[in-house]
Structures are given as structure tokens and as C-alpha cells.
Amino acid sequence: MKKVRITFWTLAILLIGFAGGIYLFGSNSNVQQQSNSSGSIMMEQAVEPPEKIKKVIQTYNLIKENYVETVEDQQLIEGAIQGMLTSLEDPYSSYMDIETMEQFSEQIESSFEGIGAEVSIVNGNVTIVAPIKNSPAEKAGLRPNDQVLSVDGESLEGLDLTEAVSKIRGEKGSEVVLEIIRPSASDVMEIKLKRDTIPIETVYSKMKKVNNKKTGIIEITNFSERTAEEFAEQLMNLENDGMEGLIIDVRGNPGGLLDSVEEIVGHFVPEDIPYIQIENREGQKEERYTDLKEKKKYPIEVIIDEGSASASEILAVALKEIGYDIVGTNSFGKGTVQNAVPLGDGSTVKLTFFKWLSPKGNWIHEEGVEPTVKVEQPDYYFSNPVQIKKPLSYDRAGAEIKNVQQMLIGIGYNTERDDGYFDKSTQKAVKKFQKDHDLKETGKVDKQTAGVIEAALIKKIRSGEDDQQLEEALENLYK
Amino acid sequence: MKKVRITFWTLAILLIGFAGGIYLFGSNSNVQQQSNSSGSIMMEQAVEPPEKIKKVIQTYNLIKENYVETVEDQQLIEGAIQGMLTSLEDPYSSYMDIETMEQFSEQIESSFEGIGAEVSIVNGNVTIVAPIKNSPAEKAGLRPNDQVLSVDGESLEGLDLTEAVSKIRGEKGSEVVLEIIRPSASDVMEIKLKRDTIPIETVYSKMKKVNNKKTGIIEITNFSERTAEEFAEQLMNLENDGMEGLIIDVRGNPGGLLDSVEEIVGHFVPEDIPYIQIENREGQKEERYTDLKEKKKYPIEVIIDEGSASASEILAVALKEIGYDIVGTNSFGKGTVQNAVPLGDGSTVKLTFFKWLSPKGNWIHEEGVEPTVKVEQPDYYFSNPVQIKKPLSYDRAGAEIKNVQQMLIGIGYNTERDDGYFDKSTQKAVKKFQKDHDLKETGKVDKQTAGVIEAALIKKIRSGEDDQQLEEALENLYK
């Protein structure tokens, strides 16, 4: 189930920002206040706009009347708003139109409406990677590796993943018919499903014996609405189960709601030190405190990497400054707080209102949290997807060959060189790989071989068997 | 003098756009009309802005009141205008603030105020490449290879070319003192100059004997205010001198004023076919005609390349469609006409008003003009600046090595491979090059060797001795 989050990576950027205060959308009355207050400002100003804004209106009319093509009002209005936000040179302040807002809400609410299956493109086919537990997909009997041919009679051929997913998704309660090929069956099947609300889990935990000690590992993939609650529950379960040490893994976690991380920090930072400081535009700092009497009795570590941003960094730096070890690589470096302010028509402006500082008053913006124990993952974790135009072969040289060499080394097929020169040892490694994977032993890397190498690498990374950051964290925990 | 244009390449993008109609700025009364007409639209609308623009004002206020940092009004206003223009997804529609407008005017007026010298950075020093004829720089005795140490007592050390140039330039009539080192002299000299208006030439012509025929070659680097006049004068001189064939070279010419190219086309396209068609947003086409009775009696060719855009393409396609050969590579592909509309405060909106079509009604936008005789320049014309982190040496591989191999081949030091593998033949070529250039014969390419290779390549390209497009044009002209 954990792998579900992969399908959401394209949206991750939206979540690097998170809301200030305890409110963001929906039924909370504070949202309405916020909305109304800016709404009333608007009405006053609209009658007599600031003198300088006339230049904007002048340009608006110039374009409407003269541009070589007809332009919709909305396009220009959204362009102007986006342009003002762009002028701030703040990557976290942005305009979200109605559609973007829907995706954003999905993230924040950690749920979406659909059939509940992780899908991927495999060899050009839309393929079920895994159905989510208790989802319509699971109940209807969808299985991993099922290929989806069509949705409600419409072929998925030629669509990319996002396009295919948007066809499969739909409102709760609506019905959809998928045409499926199952590798083990010969005929095409039609499967009818009723879409539902699918929760996205953001907390995963397990207990592991390390040096004979019961060690809890909690991974948080995102700080969304139900994350703090899930975290509290799983932490309690681990503690009840006799946990003797805890590792919190926020690698690749882009952040989320301030609320959510505040509740989680509340389990660990005692009341005598602020867990965060919020600084406003006038430079005034508000120190925030938990009501926790004392620190946990067991050792704790946080694992971070360059993808840990925002809320993840609030957690990491707070725990670091009260003496816990932070393992991994330097984090992303986002030290600001955004507020999502609705404009009244379904669109929203996400704007940076505040800076946040660590308990001791450090601003980690654009610097990140430095781990106390630095550990990098192996090089092959960062290899690029292979683009094969013509097969790579002996005595050729280039960046693609370097990439493939690193991947081969990653999956245990050692080459003497990894600098992009295709030497005899690379040829030998390729032949061995091809033999082991029932490919023709050409010693050349064509599209097929490259694809199988890539798949083997992804499998190895996903298996976690070579997760050096986690290994180091476990080793270090009871020192 | 021709090399002066190199200093302007950073601004070239502005010139890909050109003005519609015969007016763009300055004293022409039509400009005033344009300005006033949009000015009055503004005034009407400002009192009661379009309903939807309230959302822009609302966001404006939201940012002013809440953004984590204080923001200037002007920044938001310019952001909004730029944002509306960006929303058009038209690279040729843009906002020009007061400073950008000044640079733009310099281009269009083909003059600037300064001392009149082409400068460059050579081995980290600001160096005079050539003083412009009759300029203050020439009159004061500045010579090629003079190094400029300081300007009015301020050291130029560590400045890049743009920064250094901005210190040397200044208003007509103002005085400036340069501290100079001259290679042939031992002492530092101080030279005082009075800045003046420096015209930028945009037309260069020469006569060359080809197969015993007097062949005129006119290069146009830009279509600016005085270009048509210069062209007419130089064309007349060549004709009076008995020219038997003409080559017009608009390679790398990004375009300019529509006026300017219209006058030039008027020398060649006869009155019985439109030389251009201007299409408005309603799809109405205006055919424009010259009053030329008949075509030139001598053969003509136009040379274009991927840098020939806009006005250059108007010229090329018009001459192509009346039967002349076009030599070189496919041109840039810009088929629209912009108008620069002043907003009344010195800033300007450059907006696409029209499409232009060829005499026969073809729209070359995003396609370019296809030459009738395709000739590419040698590969080494397109090699990249070399970035040496650590010296390149035998048995290494990589993109930088490939680049250096192409450069070596370009300047006549042949290597057996040019695929990025540093083989024995590459080592030999490097040693030979080092010997010929008084460098230590290491066979490795370090920063110094790479720099000398690059300089040798630039020198060869500038010499024009291997200009295969021009050679082919000359060969083809009398066929």
C-alpha cells in the first residue's frame, strides 16, 4: 500500500507549502472569516482602485482589443494574479485555479475519489501495481499486473499515466467498467466497479528487532489532515508493544499542514522549550509550546534526506535541538508558512505569511537541517531513466553508458569502469545480466535490456535491502 | 567594426520582435495617436474596472497587507502586466520597463552613447578589441589590445563584461578617464575621453571577384532605423561599380523594424506581386505592393541560417517566391508583427498585433524559410565553450572530451575519434597543438590548453576562411 504515494509525486510540489494557523479549507469557521475579510477589502478597493493599478487595466484593454488572437477574460485575470505572485520570487506563493485546488484538497484531506488502485505504465500498458486494501478495486478482485485496456469502452492506448488515471477516477458512487487482461488468463475480462472515497495513508509503522531490542520505525510520507491522528495511534501501538527505541523516517516527505506536524511534535518536545517560533513581517516572534511534561524514555532518531521539506524539517530540527540524532543527508530548506486564502470563486491564493524558526531561533530556509550523522544512499539510487536511441556497445563512450554502468554496479553486476567508456568488463557484465534475465546475450544495451536493467534497479531500491541511511540509524540508535 | 555587434547579442531577443506600421517611437505623430487612444481607454475603464478585474485588486491588497516581506507597488503592477502577457504564451509579447526600453531604443535607433569601442574580456582583463571609426575612442588614440584597468578611478577587477561596459558608457557630453595598460608600453596611462553618440552600423558591403565577375556581398546585421538608407546607399555604390551579381547575407540577423525591411524589399520585388501580406485578428489580409517596375538584371541570392528571424525572413521568403535562390539552413520561423505601445510613464507593452504572410500567402511561423540550396556550416561552428574541471587525459571519456575533439578537428588537428573517448590519436593531436602554440607538451587538456584551443577556433570562425555557406552561394550564383 505504501507504494500508492508514487502516483502522487507529480503533485508533491503543492504540498511543500502548508497552511498557517489551524485552518486551511472547508467547514472551519476561521476560513470564512479569512475569506470575508479579504472579500470586504476587495469591495472597497474595487470602486476606487489604487492609482497605479490603472496601468494594469490599460494593458488588459490593450490586449483584449488588439492581440492577434481573441483572449478570454479569465486567462488575463489569472495571468495578472499569477504575475503578481511571480514577482515576489517566492516559489511557495502561487495562484491555484479551481482544478488545481481540487488536487490540492485531495492531498491535504489525504483522500481521493476513485477505484483505489495504484497504476503504472509497464511496457506501454496501463497496469495495476496494487489495489488498496478495502477499496472497490480490491473488492472487485483486481490483481497486481492486470492490464487495463479500456475504461467505459474508451481505449487507453497512447494515453500517458495522468490521462489514464483521470479516466479511471471519478466521483464517489459513480460506476465504471474496466476491460482487463490478466497475464494468467487468456480472455479479456470486463469488471464493473462503483467508485468510492479512497483514504491515502500517510503513516506506516513496523517493529524490528535490533541488537535484540524492539525498535519501532515510523515513516511519515506527508503531513495531511489525518496524519497526526494516525501517527498517535501507531505510536501508541508500538509503545504498548514494548518499543525500546524509535526511528521516524521523513525522507522524501515534502511537508503539509502546520497543524499536523505541531501535534506530532507534541509527543516529543517538552513544555520548557518552544517547539517552534513563528515570525511575522514585522519581525515579531511568537514562541509556541507543547504541554508535554517530559521527554520519551526511549532513544529516538529522525532520518531525513534532500526531499524532506517544510513540516518534515520542523519535526527534524525540533528533535535535533533537544538532543536527538538526525541521520541522513541535508534536508531541503523551506522555512516559511503559507496560508491558502480563497478568492470566493473556488480559486485560491497560497501566500507566504510567516517565517518559522527552530526552537532555538534558527531559520533553516535555503539551508536545510544538517544531520548529526551524515549518510548518503548509494550512487545508483540517483541514476536517471535510460534513454536508448541506438544500442550502447563496446568501445563507445557517453553519458548514457556511464548511467548504465552505475545501474549495473547497483544491482551487483560490477564493471571495472563507471566513467562512460564501454570497456570489456562492461560488455561482460551486460552479457552476464542478459543470461541471468533470459535475454539474448549480445553484450549490447538495447532498449529491451536497458528496460530490464532499470526494472531490476527499481526493484532493488524498493526492497530497501540496501538502505544505508536506515541501517546506519539502526546501528546508531542504542550507542 | 563589424564585430561590434557581438556585444549586443544579449539583447538580440528584443529585436526578434519588430514594430507594425511605420512607426514605433519618438517624434512620429502616429505614436502619439496610439498612445492617446489607449490612454483614453484607460481613463474610462479606471473609474469602473471590468467586474472580473476585482479579483486582481483583491490579490493585490492581500499581498500588500500580508506577504512576509514588504512589497513595492510597482513590483506588483509590473508583475501583473507581465503575467497577463505571459498568459498569451507568445514569446514576442512582453512588458518593457523604463530601463529595458532604453536598451531597446538603442537597438532600434542603431546608436548608443559612450566612447565607441568594442571591448571584450581577454584572460580576465577588460580589453579593447577595436575602436569604432571617428569615435571618441579612436580620436583619443585607444588601440586594439589596450587593457582597461579602471574607469574614473574605479577598478574593473572582477566585473563581467556587461558590468564593465555599463561603467564605460554614459551620456553624450560627459567625460570619463580610463586607466590603460598597453602591451607595447611599460607604464600605465590615463586617457580622458568625452562620450558621444556612437552610430551602430548594420550594413556591411564589399565587392569580390568570382569567376571573374564582380560580385557584391551585402551583410545586414539588424533592421534598425538607418538600415534601409545605408542599404540603398551601398547597393547603389556596388551597382555604380559594375556589380554583376549580388549576395545578401542575413545570417544571425534577428529582425527589427518592419519599415526597414519593406524599404529594402522595395529594391527587388516588382509591383505585380505583393511583397508581403499583413493579416489581422479577424483574418483580413492586406496585400502590400512596391512601385518597382522590374526585377534587377543581375542574379541575386540570400544567405540565411537558424538565426535569421522575422524581418530577415520577410526579405528571404519574398525573394525566394519571385525565383531567387536562398542558400544556407532553415531560418528561425517568426511570422508575427509586434507594436510597441507606450503606457505613458516611459514603460511600453510590446504586443503581437498581426501575422505576416509571404507574397504567396504562406505563414512561416514556427517553420522558417526553407533554403533552396541547403548548406550547413562545419560542426565545429557549433561547439560549446569548454569547461575544464580537471584536465582531460588519455583513456578518459565524456562530453567535454567530445567537444574538444570537435574543436581540434575544426582547427585542423585531426583525431581518429570524436565521440568523447580520449584515444591515442587525440593525445597526439593535443601534443601537436601544444607544440605549435608554445604550450608544454603534456598531451592533456588543462584549462590553459583548452583556452588556447578555443581562442584558435574563434579566430578561425571569425576569419570566414571556412564559410561553406558563402562559398556555396558564390559558386551557385552564376550557374
Side-chain angles (χ1 to χ4, degrees):
Chain A
M1 242 176 310
K2 178 176 163 184
K3 290 170 186 169
V4 170
R5 68 181 167 128
I6 289 162
T7 41
F8 292 94
W9 268 104
T10 50
L11 302 176
I13 193 69
L14 292 175
L15 273 183
I16 292 180
F18 57 86
I22 48 161
Y23 21 87
L24 190 61
F25 324 93
S27 57
N28 192 302
S29 63
N30 283 302
V31 176
Q32 296 308 321
Q33 280 178 23
Q34 187 115 39
S35 164
N36 288 346
S37 80
S38 43
S40 63
I41 291 166
M42 168 187 86
M43 294 314 287
E44 279 170 42
Q45 298 288 346
V47 181
E48 199 169 3
E51 183 62 24
K52 284 185 172 172
I53 215 150
K54 289 179 182 168
K55 217 168 121 175
V56 176
I57 298 170
Q58 183 183 359
T59 305
Y60 176 90
N61 289 318
L62 176 70
I63 296 171
K64 285 291 288 180
E65 286 161 26
N66 296 295
Y67 184 60
V68 67
E69 282 166 25
T70 310
V71 192
E72 295 300 320
D73 292 348
Q74 178 163 338
Q75 179 184 331
L76 292 179
I77 298 298
E78 295 191 345
I81 293 174
Q82 190 58 66
M84 286 191 286
L85 291 164
T86 302
S87 82
L88 302 176
E89 295 185 3
D90 171 24
Y92 309 111
S93 292
S94 65
Y95 173 72
M96 295 190 280
D97 62 18
I98 295 170
E99 195 182 305
T100 311
M101 263 311 290
E102 280 171 9
Q103 297 173 332
F104 184 67
S105 304
E106 236 172 46
Q107 282 290 314
I108 292 301
E109 291 162 9
S110 50
S111 70
F112 64 93
E113 299 188 354
I115 65 165
E118 184 196 358
V119 298
S120 181
I121 302 279
V122 177
N123 292 328
N125 302 307
V126 176
T127 305
I128 305 288
V129 176
I132 294 174
K133 217 172 166 178
N134 295 324
S135 69
E138 196 194 50
K139 287 175 195 161
L142 281 181
R143 295 194 205 152
N145 297 320
D146 283 355
Q147 288 172 18
V148 185
L149 300 181
S150 73
V151 176
D152 289 337
E154 275 185 80
S155 168
L156 297 183
E157 212 179 317
L159 299 192
D160 66 24
L161 188 58
T162 313
E163 291 165 338
V165 165
S166 77
K167 290 212 181 296
I168 299 171
R169 284 202 185 172
E171 272 179 39
K172 177 182 174 168
S174 63
E175 291 194 337
V176 60
V177 177
L178 304 184
E179 211 179 3
I180 296 283
I181 287 191
R182 180 160 296 167
S184 57
S186 53
D187 291 336
V188 171
M189 297 182 276
E190 283 200 351
I191 296 188
K192 194 190 233 179
L193 303 99
K194 189 184 266 185
R195 299 184 182 103
D196 203 350
T197 300
I198 312 296
I200 304 168
E201 295 192 22
T202 56
V203 181
Y204 303 88
S205 61
K206 61 183 173 198
M207 191 77 91
K208 195 171 172 168
K209 272 274 173 82
V210 178
N211 299 334
N212 220 21
K213 295 202 177 188
K214 285 179 132 177
T215 306
I217 302 172
I218 304 184
E219 183 186 10
I220 309 171
T221 60
N222 219 308
F223 292 88
S224 55
E225 280 185 356
R226 297 187 311 109
T227 303
E229 192 188 323
E230 284 175 36
F231 184 88
E233 196 183 307
Q234 297 188 35
L235 180 67
M236 195 178 66
N237 289 343
L238 289 167
E239 288 179 348
N240 291 343
D241 202 20
M243 176 172 68
E244 293 164 274
L246 171 65
I247 285 173
I248 304 172
D249 182 355
V250 291
R251 287 177 294 175
N253 179 332
L257 298 171
L258 181 55
D259 270 12
S260 173
V261 68
E262 286 185 305
E263 276 189 58
I264 291 170
V265 168
H267 294 283
F268 306 107
V269 179
E271 60 185 358
D272 54 351
I273 178 173
Y275 63 85
I276 197 172
Q277 304 184 36
I278 303 289
E279 182 179 327
N280 70 10
R281 64 191 305 191
E282 273 82 34
Q284 291 156 336
K285 290 166 196 164
E286 178 206 340
E287 298 183 342
R288 295 191 182 177
Y289 293 88
T290 69
D291 52 9
L292 184 70
K293 296 298 169 208
E294 52 181 353
K295 283 168 76 173
K296 294 286 183 191
K297 301 212 183 310
Y298 46 79
I300 301 175
E301 284 179 355
V302 180
I303 317 185
I304 57 173
D305 68 9
E306 53 289 344
S308 305
S310 202
S312 297
E313 296 175 295
I314 291 177
L315 176 69
V317 79
L319 267 62
K320 179 180 174 180
E321 291 189 357
I322 58 172
Y324 294 115
D325 266 338
I326 310 298
V327 179
T329 54
N330 211 78
S331 66
F332 183 83
K334 175 177 175 285
T336 55
V337 180
Q338 284 68 43
N339 215 330
V341 182
L343 295 182
D345 63 349
S347 66
T348 294
V349 168
K350 189 153 66 74
L351 186 70
T352 299
F353 274 52
F354 307 106
K355 298 176 183 177
W356 67 262
L357 312 179
S358 74
K360 294 186 176 167
N362 295 312
W363 196 41
I364 57 90
H365 200 64
E366 293 180 355
E367 289 177 10
V369 179
E370 202 184 335
T372 56
V373 180
K374 283 192 196 178
V375 190
E376 298 198 354
Q377 298 291 52
D379 278 354
Y380 67 83
Y381 270 63
F382 307 98
S383 50
N384 306 311
V386 196
Q387 306 277 346
I388 302 290
K389 278 174 215 134
K390 59 180 193 184
L392 311 174
S393 59
Y394 174 66
D395 196 34
R396 298 289 93 196
E400 274 310 328
I401 293 173
K402 184 173 178 172
N403 194 18
V404 168
Q405 284 169 330
Q406 284 178 344
M407 293 172 91
L408 283 168
I409 293 167
I411 50 175
Y413 292 84
N414 287 333
T415 57
E416 279 164 25
R417 300 180 67 138
D418 65 350
D419 66 345
Y421 177 69
F422 201 122
D423 64 351
K424 286 281 177 200
S425 79
T426 304
Q427 194 178 39
K428 208 173 137 192
V430 170
K431 278 190 185 167
K432 176 84 166 60
F433 178 86
Q434 287 170 326
K435 192 177 173 192
D436 293 349
H437 292 80
D438 295 329
L439 298 164
K440 209 172 154 195
E441 290 174 57
T442 60
K444 294 180 186 175
V445 180
D446 57 9
K447 269 190 192 164
Q448 196 193 10
T449 297
V452 180
I453 292 175
E454 203 171 304
L457 186 81
I458 290 171
K459 196 175 155 196
K460 176 153 182 199
I461 292 175
R462 283 198 175 193
S463 76
E465 65 183 60
D466 201 10
D467 183 345
Q468 297 183 1
Q469 292 170 335
L470 179 59
E471 273 171 35
E472 177 67 31
L474 292 170
E475 229 167 78
N476 187 64
L477 189 60
Y478 301 104
K479 267 184 189 165
Chain B
M1 244 178 308
K2 175 176 164 186
K3 290 170 187 169
V4 171
R5 70 181 163 126
I6 289 164
T7 41
F8 292 95
W9 269 105
T10 51
L11 302 176
I13 192 70
L14 293 176
L15 272 181
I16 292 179
F18 57 85
I22 49 163
Y23 21 86
L24 189 60
F25 323 92
S27 57
N28 192 302
S29 64
N30 283 302
V31 176
Q32 296 307 322
Q33 280 178 24
Q34 189 114 36
S35 165
N36 288 345
S37 79
S38 42
S40 64
I41 292 165
M42 169 187 83
M43 294 313 290
E44 279 169 41
Q45 298 287 345
V47 182
E48 198 170 5
E51 183 62 23
K52 284 185 173 174
I53 216 151
K54 288 180 184 168
K55 216 169 123 174
V56 177
I57 298 169
Q58 183 182 359
T59 305
Y60 177 89
N61 289 319
L62 176 70
I63 296 171
K64 285 291 289 181
E65 285 161 26
N66 296 295
Y67 184 59
V68 67
E69 283 165 25
T70 311
V71 191
E72 293 300 318
D73 292 350
Q74 178 162 336
Q75 180 185 331
L76 292 179
I77 298 298
E78 295 191 345
I81 293 173
Q82 190 58 64
M84 287 191 285
L85 291 164
T86 302
S87 81
L88 303 175
E89 295 185 6
D90 171 25
Y92 309 112
S93 293
S94 64
Y95 173 73
M96 294 189 280
D97 62 18
I98 294 170
E99 194 182 305
T100 312
M101 264 311 291
E102 279 169 10
Q103 297 172 333
F104 184 69
S105 304
E106 237 173 44
Q107 281 291 312
I108 292 302
E109 291 162 8
S110 50
S111 71
F112 65 94
E113 298 186 353
I115 65 164
E118 184 197 358
V119 298
S120 180
I121 302 278
V122 178
N123 292 327
N125 303 308
V126 177
T127 305
I128 305 288
V129 176
I132 294 173
K133 217 173 168 178
N134 295 323
S135 69
E138 195 192 52
K139 287 176 196 159
L142 282 181
R143 295 193 206 153
N145 297 319
D146 285 354
Q147 288 173 18
V148 186
L149 300 182
S150 72
V151 177
D152 289 337
E154 274 184 81
S155 167
L156 297 183
E157 210 179 317
L159 300 191
D160 67 23
L161 189 58
T162 313
E163 291 165 337
V165 165
S166 77
K167 289 214 181 294
I168 299 172
R169 284 201 185 175
E171 272 180 39
K172 176 180 174 171
S174 62
E175 291 194 336
V176 60
V177 177
L178 303 185
E179 211 179 3
I180 296 282
I181 288 192
R182 180 159 296 166
S184 58
S186 52
D187 292 335
V188 170
M189 296 183 277
E190 284 202 350
I191 297 189
K192 194 190 234 181
L193 304 97
K194 190 183 265 185
R195 299 185 182 101
D196 202 351
T197 300
I198 313 295
I200 305 168
E201 297 191 24
T202 57
V203 182
Y204 303 87
S205 61
K206 61 183 173 195
M207 191 76 92
K208 191 171 175 168
K209 273 273 172 86
V210 178
N211 300 335
N212 220 20
K213 294 201 177 186
K214 285 178 132 177
T215 307
I217 302 173
I218 304 185
E219 183 186 10
I220 308 171
T221 60
N222 217 308
F223 292 89
S224 56
E225 281 185 355
R226 297 185 312 110
T227 304
E229 193 188 323
E230 283 176 36
F231 183 88
E233 196 183 307
Q234 297 188 34
L235 179 67
M236 195 179 68
N237 289 343
L238 290 168
E239 287 179 347
N240 291 343
D241 200 21
M243 175 172 69
E244 293 162 276
L246 171 66
I247 285 173
I248 304 172
D249 182 354
V250 290
R251 286 177 294 177
N253 180 332
L257 298 170
L258 181 55
D259 270 16
S260 173
V261 68
E262 285 186 304
E263 276 188 59
I264 291 170
V265 168
H267 294 284
F268 306 107
V269 179
E271 59 184 0
D272 54 352
I273 176 173
Y275 64 85
I276 197 171
Q277 302 184 37
I278 303 289
E279 184 178 327
N280 69 11
R281 63 191 305 187
E282 273 82 35
Q284 292 156 336
K285 290 167 196 163
E286 178 207 342
E287 298 182 340
R288 295 190 181 176
Y289 293 88
T290 68
D291 53 8
L292 184 72
K293 296 298 169 206
E294 52 180 356
K295 283 166 76 170
K296 295 286 184 190
K297 301 212 183 310
Y298 48 79
I300 302 176
E301 283 178 354
V302 180
I303 317 185
I304 57 174
D305 67 10
E306 53 289 345
S308 306
S310 204
S312 296
E313 295 175 295
I314 291 177
L315 177 69
V317 78
L319 267 63
K320 179 180 174 180
E321 291 189 356
I322 59 173
Y324 293 115
D325 266 337
I326 310 297
V327 180
T329 53
N330 212 78
S331 67
F332 182 83
K334 173 175 179 286
T336 56
V337 181
Q338 284 67 42
N339 214 328
V341 182
L343 295 182
D345 64 349
S347 66
T348 294
V349 168
K350 188 153 67 75
L351 186 71
T352 300
F353 274 52
F354 308 106
K355 297 176 184 178
W356 67 262
L357 313 179
S358 74
K360 292 184 176 167
N362 295 313
W363 197 40
I364 59 88
H365 200 63
E366 294 182 353
E367 289 178 10
V369 179
E370 203 184 334
T372 56
V373 181
K374 282 191 200 180
V375 191
E376 296 198 354
Q377 297 292 52
D379 279 352
Y380 67 82
Y381 269 64
F382 306 98
S383 51
N384 306 312
V386 195
Q387 307 276 344
I388 301 289
K389 275 171 222 140
K390 59 180 194 183
L392 311 174
S393 60
Y394 173 65
D395 197 35
R396 299 289 91 195
E400 274 310 329
I401 294 173
K402 184 172 178 172
N403 194 18
V404 168
Q405 285 169 330
Q406 284 178 344
M407 293 172 92
L408 283 168
I409 294 168
I411 49 175
Y413 292 85
N414 287 333
T415 56
E416 276 164 27
R417 301 179 69 138
D418 64 351
D419 66 346
Y421 176 70
F422 202 122
D423 65 348
K424 287 279 178 201
S425 79
T426 304
Q427 194 177 39
K428 207 173 139 191
V430 171
K431 278 191 183 167
K432 175 88 166 57
F433 177 87
Q434 288 171 326
K435 190 177 174 191
D436 293 351
H437 292 80
D438 295 328
L439 297 166
K440 209 173 155 194
E441 289 173 58
T442 60
K444 295 180 186 176
V445 181
D446 57 9
K447 269 191 191 166
Q448 195 193 12
T449 298
V452 181
I453 292 174
E454 203 171 304
L457 186 82
I458 291 172
K459 194 174 156 197
K460 177 155 181 196
I461 293 174
R462 283 199 174 189
S463 76
E465 67 184 57
D466 202 11
D467 183 345
Q468 297 183 3
Q469 291 170 336
L470 179 59
E471 273 172 33
E472 178 66 33
L474 291 169
E475 226 167 78
N476 186 63
L477 188 62
Y478 301 104
K479 267 184 188 165

